[in-house]
Structures are given as C-alpha cells and as structure tokens.
Amino acid sequence: EAGVAQSPRYKIIEKRQSVAFWCNPISGHATLYWYQQILGQGPKLLIQFQNNGVVDDSQLPKDRFSAERLKGVDSTLKIQPAKLEDSAVYLCASSLVFSKGTGELFFGEGSRLTVL
Amino acid sequence: LAKTTQPISMDSYEGQEVNITCSHNNIATNDYITWYQQFPSQGPRFIIQGYKTKVTNEVASLFIPADRKSSTLSLPRVSLSDTAVYYCLVGGSNSGYALNFGKGTSLLVTP
C-alpha cells in the first residue's frame, strides 16, 4: 500500500516569497491533516480536512497560510508571503476514519522549508 | 483539549525495559490515548492506542489506570533502533480532533 506522498522534500526561499507544498494521502483516507513542526518541537496541527471540507483551521495563520483539498483527495498548503519563523517541516497525514478516537494517523516524510 | 505532560528525555541501555509515563489530568470521557514514535527526518508513526486498562501489540504495551489521568508506554527490551521521540496524544469525539503533539519524550538507547 502506498504511503502519504509529499513534495517537495526540501525548499529554500527568501522571506516574503511564496511556497506551496503538495500532499497525496493514502487512497481512501477521508481525513487529511497538515502539521507544522519547528525544530525541537512536536508537530502542531494547522488544518484538518474531512473529504474536501475544513474541520478545523483554528491554528492556521490565515493572513499568510492557505490550504485546499480539491475533490477530497490531494491537498496543497501555501505560504505567502513567507517569514523567517515559517522555517519548519510541514507534515501531511491522513486517516481512514473520521475519528471516534481510534483513527490512526499516517504521516508523510514531510517537506522541509528554510526561509532565509 | 486534554493537555499532556511527559518527561523531556530518558536514557536507557540496550535490553532494558523502558516505561514512559504521560499525565493527562483533564482527559474527557470519550478520549483515547495514542502514542506515536518519530525518528529524525521522518513523520511520526503510530505505536499503540488505548482507552482503559491494558493494551499490548507486537512492539509495546500501554497501561492505563482506572482514573485514566495518566498512561504508561512500555517498551520491552529496547534496542539502539528505539532511539526516537515518543509522543502521547489524547483526543476523541468530544474534545475535537485537533491532535496537537506535545514536546514528546526523547529516548536515547545506548549499548
């Protein structure tokens, strides 16, 4: 079974530039998550989708971050304009069940962003 | 959301049993307790999940007391490859699924 695919794996940009990350979840997984992981910290949830609808985006900095999940399959996370503090690994995860607490999250390898 | 507290780091020798305890005093009735493992440059990986008492799988055991205000992840006879960060998460249908990971416990296994 193919895992969660993310691209690019690495991206270096200058502040105020824009960047986009792509995620393709495991086939059939209805729920998709984007996390931000700053070095030395645990992953922080940015946004959660159920199919193509947003379940929770309370921690997404909406002035610069946006995400979409067209057709309820793959998803794109965009940052525009980027700030130095956005340097982090952006992790995508998916789960089969819109969870009743039992939904295991499957993570991709992440996209490492460096903002100079 | 239930807040979790774990030790920042732990050290162990190969072959020992490692127990990592997580406190979650305000766990809600419908919340489950889930543990993930993360290696450098990889996304977290599910280890085990439980609601109450004891759960065991091929890699770990999870002990949950009756009051559910804490849980203990037990790794039997660790090896060097168990060196990783371990995260305890609490969440369920009533508390929402904003599954934020805390700082986790960094486990170092040495020969």
PDB file of all heavy atoms in Angstrom, chain B residues 13-51:
ATOM      1  N   TYR B  13      19.753   1.604  28.535  1.00  0.00           N
ATOM      2  CA  TYR B  13      20.708   0.715  27.894  1.00  0.00           C
ATOM      3  C   TYR B  13      19.952  -0.312  27.069  1.00  0.00           C
ATOM      4  O   TYR B  13      18.785  -0.627  27.348  1.00  0.00           O
ATOM      5  CB  TYR B  13      21.585   0.011  28.930  1.00  0.00           C
ATOM      6  CG  TYR B  13      22.521   0.941  29.659  1.00  0.00           C
ATOM      7  CD1 TYR B  13      22.304   1.264  30.994  1.00  0.00           C
ATOM      8  CD2 TYR B  13      23.621   1.493  29.010  1.00  0.00           C
ATOM      9  CE1 TYR B  13      23.160   2.118  31.666  1.00  0.00           C
ATOM     10  CE2 TYR B  13      24.474   2.349  29.675  1.00  0.00           C
ATOM     11  CZ  TYR B  13      24.244   2.665  31.005  1.00  0.00           C
ATOM     12  OH  TYR B  13      25.101   3.507  31.660  1.00  0.00           O
ATOM     13  N   GLU B  14      20.632  -0.822  26.083  1.00  0.00           N
ATOM     14  CA  GLU B  14      20.034  -1.883  25.274  1.00  0.00           C
ATOM     15  C   GLU B  14      19.575  -3.039  26.155  1.00  0.00           C
ATOM     16  O   GLU B  14      20.239  -3.402  27.118  1.00  0.00           O
ATOM     17  CB  GLU B  14      21.081  -2.426  24.292  1.00  0.00           C
ATOM     18  CG  GLU B  14      21.149  -1.719  22.982  1.00  0.00           C
ATOM     19  CD  GLU B  14      22.016  -2.467  21.988  1.00  0.00           C
ATOM     20  OE1 GLU B  14      23.210  -2.691  22.291  1.00  0.00           O
ATOM     21  OE2 GLU B  14      21.501  -2.838  20.919  1.00  0.00           O
ATOM     22  N   GLY B  15      18.452  -3.616  25.799  1.00  0.00           N
ATOM     23  CA  GLY B  15      17.975  -4.790  26.508  1.00  0.00           C
ATOM     24  C   GLY B  15      17.105  -4.494  27.709  1.00  0.00           C
ATOM     25  O   GLY B  15      16.463  -5.408  28.243  1.00  0.00           O
ATOM     26  N   GLN B  16      17.068  -3.236  28.133  1.00  0.00           N
ATOM     27  CA  GLN B  16      16.240  -2.885  29.281  1.00  0.00           C
ATOM     28  C   GLN B  16      14.805  -2.606  28.851  1.00  0.00           C
ATOM     29  O   GLN B  16      14.524  -2.336  27.683  1.00  0.00           O
ATOM     30  CB  GLN B  16      16.820  -1.655  29.987  1.00  0.00           C
ATOM     31  CG  GLN B  16      18.118  -1.918  30.719  1.00  0.00           C
ATOM     32  CD  GLN B  16      18.539  -0.734  31.562  1.00  0.00           C
ATOM     33  OE1 GLN B  16      18.297   0.417  31.217  1.00  0.00           O
ATOM     34  NE2 GLN B  16      19.189  -1.014  32.692  1.00  0.00           N
ATOM     35  N   GLU B  17      13.911  -2.652  29.826  1.00  0.00           N
ATOM     36  CA  GLU B  17      12.537  -2.243  29.593  1.00  0.00           C
ATOM     37  C   GLU B  17      12.436  -0.745  29.888  1.00  0.00           C
ATOM     38  O   GLU B  17      12.971  -0.261  30.887  1.00  0.00           O
ATOM     39  CB  GLU B  17      11.584  -3.009  30.502  1.00  0.00           C
ATOM     40  CG  GLU B  17      10.120  -2.595  30.361  1.00  0.00           C
ATOM     41  CD  GLU B  17       9.217  -3.314  31.334  1.00  0.00           C
ATOM     42  OE1 GLU B  17       9.259  -2.956  32.543  1.00  0.00           O
ATOM     43  OE2 GLU B  17       8.480  -4.225  30.916  1.00  0.00           O
ATOM     44  N   VAL B  18      11.749  -0.036  29.024  1.00  0.00           N
ATOM     45  CA  VAL B  18      11.588   1.406  29.203  1.00  0.00           C
ATOM     46  C   VAL B  18      10.112   1.716  29.395  1.00  0.00           C
ATOM     47  O   VAL B  18       9.259   1.249  28.638  1.00  0.00           O
ATOM     48  CB  VAL B  18      12.121   2.178  27.985  1.00  0.00           C
ATOM     49  CG1 VAL B  18      11.749   3.654  28.081  1.00  0.00           C
ATOM     50  CG2 VAL B  18      13.640   2.027  27.887  1.00  0.00           C
ATOM     51  N   ASN B  19       9.837   2.502  30.415  1.00  0.00           N
ATOM     52  CA  ASN B  19       8.470   2.940  30.691  1.00  0.00           C
ATOM     53  C   ASN B  19       8.404   4.459  30.623  1.00  0.00           C
ATOM     54  O   ASN B  19       9.122   5.153  31.341  1.00  0.00           O
ATOM     55  CB  ASN B  19       8.015   2.463  32.079  1.00  0.00           C
ATOM     56  CG  ASN B  19       7.939   0.954  32.163  1.00  0.00           C
ATOM     57  OD1 ASN B  19       7.309   0.310  31.328  1.00  0.00           O
ATOM     58  ND2 ASN B  19       8.599   0.374  33.156  1.00  0.00           N
ATOM     59  N   ILE B  20       7.558   4.971  29.774  1.00  0.00           N
ATOM     60  CA  ILE B  20       7.376   6.408  29.630  1.00  0.00           C
ATOM     61  C   ILE B  20       5.961   6.743  30.074  1.00  0.00           C
ATOM     62  O   ILE B  20       4.984   6.230  29.521  1.00  0.00           O
ATOM     63  CB  ILE B  20       7.575   6.868  28.173  1.00  0.00           C
ATOM     64  CG1 ILE B  20       8.934   6.398  27.645  1.00  0.00           C
ATOM     65  CG2 ILE B  20       7.465   8.390  28.081  1.00  0.00           C
ATOM     66  CD1 ILE B  20       9.150   6.691  26.158  1.00  0.00           C
ATOM     67  N   THR B  21       5.871   7.622  31.072  1.00  0.00           N
ATOM     68  CA  THR B  21       4.569   7.968  31.619  1.00  0.00           C
ATOM     69  C   THR B  21       4.100   9.316  31.091  1.00  0.00           C
ATOM     70  O   THR B  21       4.876  10.250  30.947  1.00  0.00           O
ATOM     71  CB  THR B  21       4.620   7.988  33.152  1.00  0.00           C
ATOM     72  OG1 THR B  21       4.926   6.667  33.612  1.00  0.00           O
ATOM     73  CG2 THR B  21       3.276   8.401  33.732  1.00  0.00           C
ATOM     74  N   CYS B  22       2.820   9.391  30.820  1.00  0.00           N
ATOM     75  CA  CYS B  22       2.195  10.608  30.333  1.00  0.00           C
ATOM     76  C   CYS B  22       1.052  10.972  31.271  1.00  0.00           C
ATOM     77  O   CYS B  22       0.243  10.117  31.620  1.00  0.00           O
ATOM     78  CB  CYS B  22       1.674  10.377  28.919  1.00  0.00           C
ATOM     79  SG  CYS B  22       0.824  11.772  28.169  1.00  0.00           S
ATOM     80  N   SER B  23       1.013  12.221  31.696  1.00  0.00           N
ATOM     81  CA  SER B  23      -0.079  12.700  32.544  1.00  0.00           C
ATOM     82  C   SER B  23      -1.091  13.448  31.694  1.00  0.00           C
ATOM     83  O   SER B  23      -0.716  14.274  30.855  1.00  0.00           O
ATOM     84  CB  SER B  23       0.457  13.626  33.638  1.00  0.00           C
ATOM     85  OG  SER B  23       1.314  12.940  34.498  1.00  0.00           O
ATOM     86  N   HIS B  24      -2.347  13.169  31.919  1.00  0.00           N
ATOM     87  CA  HIS B  24      -3.440  13.844  31.191  1.00  0.00           C
ATOM     88  C   HIS B  24      -4.615  13.967  32.136  1.00  0.00           C
ATOM     89  O   HIS B  24      -5.609  13.240  32.025  1.00  0.00           O
ATOM     90  CB  HIS B  24      -3.802  13.099  29.900  1.00  0.00           C
ATOM     91  CG  HIS B  24      -3.565  11.629  29.915  1.00  0.00           C
ATOM     92  ND1 HIS B  24      -4.425  10.726  30.494  1.00  0.00           N
ATOM     93  CD2 HIS B  24      -2.544  10.904  29.406  1.00  0.00           C
ATOM     94  CE1 HIS B  24      -3.951   9.501  30.348  1.00  0.00           C
ATOM     95  NE2 HIS B  24      -2.799   9.571  29.692  1.00  0.00           N
ATOM     96  N   ASN B  25      -4.503  14.913  33.078  1.00  0.00           N
ATOM     97  CA  ASN B  25      -5.461  15.018  34.167  1.00  0.00           C
ATOM     98  C   ASN B  25      -6.869  15.370  33.714  1.00  0.00           C
ATOM     99  O   ASN B  25      -7.849  15.016  34.371  1.00  0.00           O
ATOM    100  CB  ASN B  25      -4.986  16.051  35.192  1.00  0.00           C
ATOM    101  CG  ASN B  25      -3.771  15.560  35.963  1.00  0.00           C
ATOM    102  OD1 ASN B  25      -3.691  14.397  36.319  1.00  0.00           O
ATOM    103  ND2 ASN B  25      -2.822  16.449  36.197  1.00  0.00           N
ATOM    104  N   ASN B  26      -6.999  16.121  32.617  1.00  0.00           N
ATOM    105  CA  ASN B  26      -8.330  16.540  32.202  1.00  0.00           C
ATOM    106  C   ASN B  26      -8.833  15.755  30.993  1.00  0.00           C
ATOM    107  O   ASN B  26      -9.541  16.283  30.140  1.00  0.00           O
ATOM    108  CB  ASN B  26      -8.375  18.042  31.921  1.00  0.00           C
ATOM    109  CG  ASN B  26      -7.397  18.458  30.838  1.00  0.00           C
ATOM    110  OD1 ASN B  26      -6.444  17.760  30.568  1.00  0.00           O
ATOM    111  ND2 ASN B  26      -7.638  19.606  30.237  1.00  0.00           N
ATOM    112  N   ILE B  27      -8.490  14.493  30.966  1.00  0.00           N
ATOM    113  CA  ILE B  27      -8.948  13.648  29.871  1.00  0.00           C
ATOM    114  C   ILE B  27     -10.469  13.544  29.904  1.00  0.00           C
ATOM    115  O   ILE B  27     -11.081  13.442  30.975  1.00  0.00           O
ATOM    116  CB  ILE B  27      -8.293  12.249  29.952  1.00  0.00           C
ATOM    117  CG1 ILE B  27      -8.625  11.409  28.721  1.00  0.00           C
ATOM    118  CG2 ILE B  27      -8.671  11.539  31.253  1.00  0.00           C
ATOM    119  CD1 ILE B  27      -7.813  10.129  28.618  1.00  0.00           C
ATOM    120  N   ALA B  28     -11.088  13.619  28.742  1.00  0.00           N
ATOM    121  CA  ALA B  28     -12.539  13.553  28.647  1.00  0.00           C
ATOM    122  C   ALA B  28     -13.010  12.104  28.505  1.00  0.00           C
ATOM    123  O   ALA B  28     -12.249  11.214  28.142  1.00  0.00           O
ATOM    124  CB  ALA B  28     -13.020  14.385  27.460  1.00  0.00           C
ATOM    125  N   THR B  29     -14.284  11.922  28.771  1.00  0.00           N
ATOM    126  CA  THR B  29     -14.852  10.576  28.791  1.00  0.00           C
ATOM    127  C   THR B  29     -14.616   9.821  27.495  1.00  0.00           C
ATOM    128  O   THR B  29     -14.314   8.625  27.501  1.00  0.00           O
ATOM    129  CB  THR B  29     -16.357  10.638  29.080  1.00  0.00           C
ATOM    130  OG1 THR B  29     -16.560  11.298  30.324  1.00  0.00           O
ATOM    131  CG2 THR B  29     -16.962   9.236  29.150  1.00  0.00           C
ATOM    132  N   ASN B  30     -14.758  10.510  26.403  1.00  0.00           N
ATOM    133  CA  ASN B  30     -14.647   9.836  25.104  1.00  0.00           C
ATOM    134  C   ASN B  30     -13.240   9.857  24.506  1.00  0.00           C
ATOM    135  O   ASN B  30     -13.053   9.428  23.377  1.00  0.00           O
ATOM    136  CB  ASN B  30     -15.604  10.473  24.106  1.00  0.00           C
ATOM    137  CG  ASN B  30     -17.054  10.189  24.461  1.00  0.00           C
ATOM    138  OD1 ASN B  30     -17.340   9.289  25.237  1.00  0.00           O
ATOM    139  ND2 ASN B  30     -17.956  10.960  23.908  1.00  0.00           N
ATOM    140  N   ASP B  31     -12.284  10.383  25.262  1.00  0.00           N
ATOM    141  CA  ASP B  31     -10.925  10.489  24.731  1.00  0.00           C
ATOM    142  C   ASP B  31     -10.202   9.149  24.737  1.00  0.00           C
ATOM    143  O   ASP B  31     -10.326   8.370  25.689  1.00  0.00           O
ATOM    144  CB  ASP B  31     -10.104  11.482  25.554  1.00  0.00           C
ATOM    145  CG  ASP B  31     -10.451  12.918  25.259  1.00  0.00           C
ATOM    146  OD1 ASP B  31     -11.148  13.166  24.253  1.00  0.00           O
ATOM    147  OD2 ASP B  31     -10.011  13.797  26.023  1.00  0.00           O
ATOM    148  N   TYR B  32      -9.414   8.928  23.691  1.00  0.00           N
ATOM    149  CA  TYR B  32      -8.493   7.816  23.620  1.00  0.00           C
ATOM    150  C   TYR B  32      -7.072   8.332  23.849  1.00  0.00           C
ATOM    151  O   TYR B  32      -6.796   9.520  23.684  1.00  0.00           O
ATOM    152  CB  TYR B  32      -8.568   7.140  22.245  1.00  0.00           C
ATOM    153  CG  TYR B  32      -9.784   6.280  22.063  1.00  0.00           C
ATOM    154  CD1 TYR B  32     -11.044   6.834  21.863  1.00  0.00           C
ATOM    155  CD2 TYR B  32      -9.675   4.891  22.091  1.00  0.00           C
ATOM    156  CE1 TYR B  32     -12.157   6.041  21.696  1.00  0.00           C
ATOM    157  CE2 TYR B  32     -10.786   4.084  21.913  1.00  0.00           C
ATOM    158  CZ  TYR B  32     -12.022   4.661  21.725  1.00  0.00           C
ATOM    159  OH  TYR B  32     -13.124   3.870  21.562  1.00  0.00           O
ATOM    160  N   ILE B  33      -6.192   7.440  24.214  1.00  0.00           N
ATOM    161  CA  ILE B  33      -4.779   7.762  24.422  1.00  0.00           C
ATOM    162  C   ILE B  33      -3.976   7.061  23.341  1.00  0.00           C
ATOM    163  O   ILE B  33      -4.099   5.843  23.149  1.00  0.00           O
ATOM    164  CB  ILE B  33      -4.315   7.292  25.815  1.00  0.00           C
ATOM    165  CG1 ILE B  33      -5.149   7.974  26.903  1.00  0.00           C
ATOM    166  CG2 ILE B  33      -2.828   7.604  26.004  1.00  0.00           C
ATOM    167  CD1 ILE B  33      -5.273   7.164  28.162  1.00  0.00           C
ATOM    168  N   THR B  34      -3.202   7.850  22.620  1.00  0.00           N
ATOM    169  CA  THR B  34      -2.456   7.315  21.491  1.00  0.00           C
ATOM    170  C   THR B  34      -0.994   7.705  21.614  1.00  0.00           C
ATOM    171  O   THR B  34      -0.683   8.831  22.008  1.00  0.00           O
ATOM    172  CB  THR B  34      -3.025   7.863  20.162  1.00  0.00           C
ATOM    173  OG1 THR B  34      -4.438   7.693  20.141  1.00  0.00           O
ATOM    174  CG2 THR B  34      -2.402   7.153  18.972  1.00  0.00           C
ATOM    175  N   TRP B  35      -0.115   6.794  21.276  1.00  0.00           N
ATOM    176  CA  TRP B  35       1.317   7.060  21.308  1.00  0.00           C
ATOM    177  C   TRP B  35       1.893   6.936  19.893  1.00  0.00           C
ATOM    178  O   TRP B  35       1.550   6.015  19.152  1.00  0.00           O
ATOM    179  CB  TRP B  35       2.034   6.088  22.238  1.00  0.00           C
ATOM    180  CG  TRP B  35       1.807   6.378  23.694  1.00  0.00           C
ATOM    181  CD1 TRP B  35       0.711   6.046  24.437  1.00  0.00           C
ATOM    182  CD2 TRP B  35       2.700   7.053  24.566  1.00  0.00           C
ATOM    183  NE1 TRP B  35       0.871   6.483  25.730  1.00  0.00           N
ATOM    184  CE2 TRP B  35       2.087   7.101  25.849  1.00  0.00           C
ATOM    185  CE3 TRP B  35       3.974   7.617  24.426  1.00  0.00           C
ATOM    186  CZ2 TRP B  35       2.700   7.694  26.960  1.00  0.00           C
ATOM    187  CZ3 TRP B  35       4.570   8.203  25.523  1.00  0.00           C
ATOM    188  CH2 TRP B  35       3.944   8.243  26.784  1.00  0.00           C
ATOM    189  N   TYR B  36       2.775   7.891  19.578  1.00  0.00           N
ATOM    190  CA  TYR B  36       3.471   7.892  18.306  1.00  0.00           C
ATOM    191  C   TYR B  36       4.971   7.930  18.559  1.00  0.00           C
ATOM    192  O   TYR B  36       5.438   8.428  19.587  1.00  0.00           O
ATOM    193  CB  TYR B  36       3.073   9.114  17.460  1.00  0.00           C
ATOM    194  CG  TYR B  36       1.712   9.017  16.841  1.00  0.00           C
ATOM    195  CD1 TYR B  36       0.567   9.342  17.572  1.00  0.00           C
ATOM    196  CD2 TYR B  36       1.558   8.603  15.520  1.00  0.00           C
ATOM    197  CE1 TYR B  36      -0.693   9.250  16.992  1.00  0.00           C
ATOM    198  CE2 TYR B  36       0.304   8.509  14.934  1.00  0.00           C
ATOM    199  CZ  TYR B  36      -0.808   8.831  15.675  1.00  0.00           C
ATOM    200  OH  TYR B  36      -2.055   8.735  15.107  1.00  0.00           O
ATOM    201  N   GLN B  37       5.709   7.432  17.580  1.00  0.00           N
ATOM    202  CA  GLN B  37       7.173   7.416  17.608  1.00  0.00           C
ATOM    203  C   GLN B  37       7.665   8.213  16.408  1.00  0.00           C
ATOM    204  O   GLN B  37       7.115   8.097  15.311  1.00  0.00           O
ATOM    205  CB  GLN B  37       7.661   5.970  17.515  1.00  0.00           C
ATOM    206  CG  GLN B  37       9.150   5.759  17.389  1.00  0.00           C
ATOM    207  CD  GLN B  37       9.464   4.311  17.018  1.00  0.00           C
ATOM    208  OE1 GLN B  37       8.995   3.797  15.994  1.00  0.00           O
ATOM    209  NE2 GLN B  37      10.255   3.639  17.845  1.00  0.00           N
ATOM    210  N   GLN B  38       8.699   9.020  16.616  1.00  0.00           N
ATOM    211  CA  GLN B  38       9.244   9.786  15.500  1.00  0.00           C
ATOM    212  C   GLN B  38      10.756   9.696  15.470  1.00  0.00           C
ATOM    213  O   GLN B  38      11.433  10.031  16.450  1.00  0.00           O
ATOM    214  CB  GLN B  38       8.813  11.255  15.562  1.00  0.00           C
ATOM    215  CG  GLN B  38       9.233  12.042  14.323  1.00  0.00           C
ATOM    216  CD  GLN B  38       8.739  13.468  14.336  1.00  0.00           C
ATOM    217  OE1 GLN B  38       8.529  14.061  15.381  1.00  0.00           O
ATOM    218  NE2 GLN B  38       8.545  14.039  13.149  1.00  0.00           N
ATOM    219  N   PHE B  39      11.273   9.270  14.315  1.00  0.00           N
ATOM    220  CA  PHE B  39      12.710   9.278  14.067  1.00  0.00           C
ATOM    221  C   PHE B  39      13.073  10.573  13.353  1.00  0.00           C
ATOM    222  O   PHE B  39      12.221  11.196  12.707  1.00  0.00           O
ATOM    223  CB  PHE B  39      13.110   8.077  13.199  1.00  0.00           C
ATOM    224  CG  PHE B  39      12.834   6.749  13.835  1.00  0.00           C
ATOM    225  CD1 PHE B  39      11.877   5.892  13.313  1.00  0.00           C
ATOM    226  CD2 PHE B  39      13.531   6.342  14.969  1.00  0.00           C
ATOM    227  CE1 PHE B  39      11.619   4.659  13.903  1.00  0.00           C
ATOM    228  CE2 PHE B  39      13.284   5.120  15.562  1.00  0.00           C
ATOM    229  CZ  PHE B  39      12.324   4.286  15.038  1.00  0.00           C
ATOM    230  N   PRO B  40      14.340  10.989  13.421  1.00  0.00           N
ATOM    231  CA  PRO B  40      14.753  12.210  12.719  1.00  0.00           C
ATOM    232  C   PRO B  40      14.454  12.130  11.225  1.00  0.00           C
ATOM    233  O   PRO B  40      14.598  11.076  10.612  1.00  0.00           O
ATOM    234  CB  PRO B  40      16.266  12.257  12.983  1.00  0.00           C
ATOM    235  CG  PRO B  40      16.445  11.509  14.253  1.00  0.00           C
ATOM    236  CD  PRO B  40      15.427  10.409  14.226  1.00  0.00           C
ATOM    237  N   SER B  41      13.990  13.224  10.687  1.00  0.00           N
ATOM    238  CA  SER B  41      13.693  13.361   9.257  1.00  0.00           C
ATOM    239  C   SER B  41      12.570  12.450   8.779  1.00  0.00           C
ATOM    240  O   SER B  41      12.477  12.145   7.583  1.00  0.00           O
ATOM    241  CB  SER B  41      14.955  13.089   8.408  1.00  0.00           C
ATOM    242  OG  SER B  41      15.971  13.989   8.766  1.00  0.00           O
ATOM    243  N   GLN B  42      11.738  11.995   9.703  1.00  0.00           N
ATOM    244  CA  GLN B  42      10.573  11.201   9.329  1.00  0.00           C
ATOM    245  C   GLN B  42       9.338  11.738  10.034  1.00  0.00           C
ATOM    246  O   GLN B  42       9.429  12.429  11.048  1.00  0.00           O
ATOM    247  CB  GLN B  42      10.758   9.730   9.714  1.00  0.00           C
ATOM    248  CG  GLN B  42      11.860   9.021   8.958  1.00  0.00           C
ATOM    249  CD  GLN B  42      11.898   7.543   9.284  1.00  0.00           C
ATOM    250  OE1 GLN B  42      10.911   6.950   9.689  1.00  0.00           O
ATOM    251  NE2 GLN B  42      13.060   6.930   9.096  1.00  0.00           N
ATOM    252  N   GLY B  43       8.171  11.409   9.493  1.00  0.00           N
ATOM    253  CA  GLY B  43       6.938  11.748  10.176  1.00  0.00           C
ATOM    254  C   GLY B  43       6.690  10.788  11.321  1.00  0.00           C
ATOM    255  O   GLY B  43       7.236   9.682  11.356  1.00  0.00           O
ATOM    256  N   PRO B  44       5.859  11.180  12.282  1.00  0.00           N
ATOM    257  CA  PRO B  44       5.532  10.275  13.397  1.00  0.00           C
ATOM    258  C   PRO B  44       4.869   8.996  12.898  1.00  0.00           C
ATOM    259  O   PRO B  44       4.209   8.979  11.866  1.00  0.00           O
ATOM    260  CB  PRO B  44       4.567  11.111  14.245  1.00  0.00           C
ATOM    261  CG  PRO B  44       4.877  12.533  13.903  1.00  0.00           C
ATOM    262  CD  PRO B  44       5.244  12.499  12.457  1.00  0.00           C
ATOM    263  N   ARG B  45       5.062   7.934  13.685  1.00  0.00           N
ATOM    264  CA  ARG B  45       4.481   6.642  13.341  1.00  0.00           C
ATOM    265  C   ARG B  45       3.686   6.139  14.522  1.00  0.00           C
ATOM    266  O   ARG B  45       4.156   6.145  15.657  1.00  0.00           O
ATOM    267  CB  ARG B  45       5.588   5.659  12.987  1.00  0.00           C
ATOM    268  CG  ARG B  45       5.141   4.283  12.545  1.00  0.00           C
ATOM    269  CD  ARG B  45       6.342   3.466  12.117  1.00  0.00           C
ATOM    270  NE  ARG B  45       7.201   3.112  13.237  1.00  0.00           N
ATOM    271  CZ  ARG B  45       7.324   1.888  13.752  1.00  0.00           C
ATOM    272  NH1 ARG B  45       6.603   0.907  13.249  1.00  0.00           N
ATOM    273  NH2 ARG B  45       8.152   1.650  14.749  1.00  0.00           N
ATOM    274  N   PHE B  46       2.482   5.683  14.268  1.00  0.00           N
ATOM    275  CA  PHE B  46       1.598   5.151  15.302  1.00  0.00           C
ATOM    276  C   PHE B  46       2.231   3.941  15.968  1.00  0.00           C
ATOM    277  O   PHE B  46       2.772   3.055  15.313  1.00  0.00           O
ATOM    278  CB  PHE B  46       0.270   4.756  14.642  1.00  0.00           C
ATOM    279  CG  PHE B  46      -0.721   4.073  15.540  1.00  0.00           C
ATOM    280  CD1 PHE B  46      -1.678   4.813  16.202  1.00  0.00           C
ATOM    281  CD2 PHE B  46      -0.713   2.694  15.696  1.00  0.00           C
ATOM    282  CE1 PHE B  46      -2.611   4.192  17.009  1.00  0.00           C
ATOM    283  CE2 PHE B  46      -1.640   2.062  16.501  1.00  0.00           C
ATOM    284  CZ  PHE B  46      -2.598   2.821  17.161  1.00  0.00           C
ATOM    285  N   ILE B  47       2.169   3.935  17.320  1.00  0.00           N
ATOM    286  CA  ILE B  47       2.663   2.766  18.051  1.00  0.00           C
ATOM    287  C   ILE B  47       1.507   1.978  18.634  1.00  0.00           C
ATOM    288  O   ILE B  47       1.370   0.782  18.417  1.00  0.00           O
ATOM    289  CB  ILE B  47       3.579   3.179  19.219  1.00  0.00           C
ATOM    290  CG1 ILE B  47       4.777   3.983  18.740  1.00  0.00           C
ATOM    291  CG2 ILE B  47       4.058   1.926  19.968  1.00  0.00           C
ATOM    292  CD1 ILE B  47       5.634   4.483  19.900  1.00  0.00           C
ATOM    293  N   ILE B  48       0.672   2.670  19.426  1.00  0.00           N
ATOM    294  CA  ILE B  48      -0.354   1.952  20.169  1.00  0.00           C
ATOM    295  C   ILE B  48      -1.424   2.927  20.612  1.00  0.00           C
ATOM    296  O   ILE B  48      -1.164   4.125  20.745  1.00  0.00           O
ATOM    297  CB  ILE B  48       0.279   1.214  21.380  1.00  0.00           C
ATOM    298  CG1 ILE B  48      -0.647   0.137  21.946  1.00  0.00           C
ATOM    299  CG2 ILE B  48       0.688   2.210  22.467  1.00  0.00           C
ATOM    300  CD1 ILE B  48       0.053  -0.820  22.909  1.00  0.00           C
ATOM    301  N   GLN B  49      -2.619   2.417  20.834  1.00  0.00           N
ATOM    302  CA  GLN B  49      -3.737   3.242  21.296  1.00  0.00           C
ATOM    303  C   GLN B  49      -4.571   2.448  22.278  1.00  0.00           C
ATOM    304  O   GLN B  49      -4.736   1.232  22.119  1.00  0.00           O
ATOM    305  CB  GLN B  49      -4.600   3.672  20.124  1.00  0.00           C
ATOM    306  CG  GLN B  49      -5.727   4.630  20.476  1.00  0.00           C
ATOM    307  CD  GLN B  49      -6.524   5.034  19.251  1.00  0.00           C
ATOM    308  OE1 GLN B  49      -7.320   4.257  18.725  1.00  0.00           O
ATOM    309  NE2 GLN B  49      -6.298   6.256  18.784  1.00  0.00           N
ATOM    310  N   GLY B  50      -5.111   3.173  23.291  1.00  0.00           N
ATOM    311  CA  GLY B  50      -5.959   2.505  24.261  1.00  0.00           C
ATOM    312  C   GLY B  50      -6.970   3.444  24.876  1.00  0.00           C
ATOM    313  O   GLY B  50      -6.842   4.672  24.781  1.00  0.00           O
ATOM    314  N   TYR B  51      -7.961   2.845  25.530  1.00  0.00           N
ATOM    315  CA  TYR B  51      -8.975   3.628  26.225  1.00  0.00           C
ATOM    316  C   TYR B  51      -8.884   3.395  27.738  1.00  0.00           C
ATOM    317  O   TYR B  51      -8.938   4.348  28.511  1.00  0.00           O
ATOM    318  CB  TYR B  51     -10.368   3.263  25.732  1.00  0.00           C
ATOM    319  CG  TYR B  51     -11.463   4.080  26.369  1.00  0.00           C
ATOM    320  CD1 TYR B  51     -11.713   5.371  25.928  1.00  0.00           C
ATOM    321  CD2 TYR B  51     -12.219   3.567  27.416  1.00  0.00           C
ATOM    322  CE1 TYR B  51     -12.709   6.139  26.534  1.00  0.00           C
ATOM    323  CE2 TYR B  51     -13.204   4.327  28.022  1.00  0.00           C
ATOM    324  CZ  TYR B  51     -13.448   5.603  27.578  1.00  0.00           C
ATOM    325  OH  TYR B  51     -14.418   6.365  28.175  1.00  0.00           O
TER     326      TYR B  51
END
